[in-house]
Amino acid sequence: MKKYIRTKTLRVQLMRYHFLIICLIATFVSICTYITANQKTLEVAKNSQKHHVESISYRSRLAYEEMLNIILNCTERKTFDLSGINGGRTSGARKLGLDYAELIRDYCAITEYGNYIVKLSVFDDQGNLVQTGSSFGSTDDAQGIIESGWLDRELEKTMDRYQLDLESSPFSQYEGNILPIARKLEHSGSGGWAVLCLSTDLFKDMLLDTANGQETVIVTAAGDRIASIEEPGEHREENDRIIRSLQEQKKDKGLLEMKVHGKDSLVTYEIYDKSGIMVYETMPLDELSNDRMMIVQTVVIMFLACLIFGLLLSARITKQIKKPIDRLTAHIETIAAGNFIRDDSIEGEDEIGRVGCVVNDMALRIKELMDQQLKAEKEKGDLELKMLQAQINPHFLYNTLDSIRWIAVIQKNSGIVKMVTALSGLLKNMAKGFNEKVTLKKELEFLNDYVTIEKVKYVELFDLEIQVDDPGLYEAKVIKLTLQPLVENAIFNGIEPKGRHGIIKIRASRQEDMLVLTVWDNGVGIPKERLKTLLENTEKVKGNSMSGIGLPNVDRRIKLNYGESYGLMIDSTEGKFTEITVTMPLEF
């Protein structure tokens, strides 16, 4: 066993690493799971308490808004003119009183909180009164409201922020506390008031309907307790103190962690600023202890399960990994020996298989690069051979041409002098080789000799315009005989077939670190079907091209010297123009 543990084989080392990693991962996952689950439990408890308080506050808000709507319906419409009741002395007055009573009953009936309206009274100072509600009415109710002491205070409140106050019932038939809402009649000839007395049973029933086993209290803005549930008597004094401190914070809602009744607790509250109603709830955090214990048990089980499953999986994985690694190692040794064949057995969809794919691709790429290198060297040698074969040794012609030029000078034939001089310069430049690099200025001088001869031949059929954007470009290096084949192409394939005078424009410009030469002619253009393959075959060169050099040769010479990203680009519109652009590195 000790020998097995100390061995350094790949499989044993992998199993050691796996065991260590599994222990670390299991520990990390267990700790993270415990922390996360504990936080989630607390978060769920907070969200639950928050939603519970919001639900109660929302229901109380709806009830409050509906009570305000009832009061506004009673006071803002022109319906109520209590002076017409006149104490019910006539049948018409009694009928009018019954109609008013039926109307306010309808107001109460359309709300689902009608059963909690103790009294809805509409009265004036002449003793005229109509009312409805869940409590029996009395002719003394108006007097009881007036003498209650809170009517004037309630009438001073505005509807946009009518905070409710808890008051004692002024009615002999109802002994509980009420939440009154009062407002003056706006369209009554005799003046008057509308008073709605809401029962606190509404809020008690709300708490019972949504009970969740926690202490929940509903109070007014003054701190008076409207309703509560699960609140022991000994907790009231501390709850009142906390409620007052929360109201003083001037915040409409909140969720706090604090010590309440000697326990760490969650305190959630929400205040409806318009009515002043506050819903307050506390939840001791020790109620979450059972959830925490369950989390601990779950974490321990997860740790052991990860450990056992990881060890079994480690033995399986190390065995599976070793086989493809052995095949991969053997294939790499084969490549190192110079055999670049593809081995499909080392490829697969896993990481090692992808490495095998890369190794196979690398081997094929090495083989392709070696083949390309050999091919490029061969092409370069062939091209140089062709250039050497194309060169001529015109020394014996120089003396002859010089004699012809002097005879023409003696005979004063300037045309022959001009043409022979140009031809002599052309032959001297061609005799020096084609891959030599010269300045742009020299290349343009050579081109000028060629154009001089062609203009004599074609009797001024074309004009040559040369534009060099930057005078410094005259010293830039170019491969000799780059422009001549392009101008030759423009003459033979563009201007000559057109049959009338044309223009050939040459422009030299700089684009970042590149020299760009553009040759443009307004000839017949190159057909599209020929344009696609014009530069593909270096063997098919136009027969009358000087020294066998055509567009494919120029393109290939540039690529051999500078790389495949440089060379010729051709743009042509048949019947209109041809534009050839040459790009090469900017050298001086």
Side-chain angles (χ1 to χ4, degrees), residues 67-280:
M67 298 306 109
L68 288 187
N69 287 336
I70 292 174
I71 284 295
L72 292 174
N73 282 331
C74 292
T75 58
E76 290 188 349
R77 296 186 178 185
K78 298 180 180 179
T79 306
F80 294 98
D81 185 4
L82 298 182
S83 61
I85 297 177
N86 196 21
R89 294 186 178 92
T90 64
S91 60
R94 288 192 293 274
K95 183 177 184 304
L96 182 61
L98 291 174
D99 290 341
Y100 285 166
E102 184 67 26
L103 181 60
I104 62 175
R105 276 196 297 273
D106 290 341
Y107 290 160
C108 295
I110 61 177
T111 174
E112 62 177 300
Y113 306 108
N115 293 332
Y116 298 101
I117 299 176
V118 177
K119 288 285 176 66
L120 173 58
S121 304
V122 182
F123 59 95
D124 61 13
D125 55 3
Q126 303 299 320
N128 296 311
L129 169 69
V130 290
Q131 64 180 352
T132 186
S134 60
S135 177
F136 291 107
S138 170
T139 55
D140 297 330
D141 288 343
Q143 190 63 28
I145 292 173
I146 294 174
E147 295 177 354
S148 64
W150 47 257
L151 179 60
D152 291 338
R153 187 170 63 250
E154 296 297 324
L155 290 174
E156 290 176 357
K157 298 179 181 179
T158 60
M159 289 293 108
D160 59 340
R161 193 171 183 271
Y162 197 104
Q163 293 194 338
L164 299 179
D165 290 312
L166 189 66
E167 305 290 350
S168 298
S169 171
F171 311 117
S172 58
Q173 307 88 347
Y174 187 79
E175 297 180 354
N177 291 327
I178 59 169
L179 298 164
I181 303 174
R183 194 178 188 212
K184 289 183 178 181
L185 297 179
E186 295 185 0
H187 303 290
S188 176
S190 60
W193 306 269
V195 177
L196 187 150
C197 298
L198 184 63
S199 172
T200 57
D201 291 340
L202 169 63
F203 299 93
K204 293 177 182 177
D205 290 345
M206 285 182 183
L207 295 180
L208 291 173
D209 290 343
T210 60
N212 62 353
Q214 307 300 332
E215 285 187 28
T216 309
V217 183
I218 302 177
V219 298
T220 64
D224 296 325
R225 187 176 269 91
I226 299 174
S228 65
I229 190 171
E230 302 292 341
E231 184 188 28
E234 61 270 19
H235 288 179
R236 285 201 170 201
E237 183 177 353
E238 184 174 1
N239 284 341
D240 288 343
R241 177 180 57 79
I242 295 174
I243 288 170
R244 285 194 298 272
S245 66
L246 294 177
Q247 288 176 323
E248 290 171 358
Q249 292 182 5
K250 304 299 182 181
K251 294 182 180 179
D252 59 352
K253 63 174 64 177
L255 194 156
L256 309 172
E257 292 187 37
M258 57 190 301
K259 190 174 287 295
V260 182
H261 313 313
K263 298 179 180 180
D264 292 331
S265 305
L266 292 177
V267 173
T268 307
Y269 70 94
E270 183 166 340
I271 302 173
Y272 184 34
D273 185 62
K274 191 174 178 181
S275 67
I277 296 296
M278 174 180 178
V279 180
Y280 163 83

Side-chain angles (χ1 to χ4, degrees), residues 89 101 148 229 272 318 369 386 519 548 573:
R89 294 186 178 92
S148 64
I229 190 171
Y272 184 34
T318 52
L369 289 174
K386 289 180 181 179
V519 179
T573 300

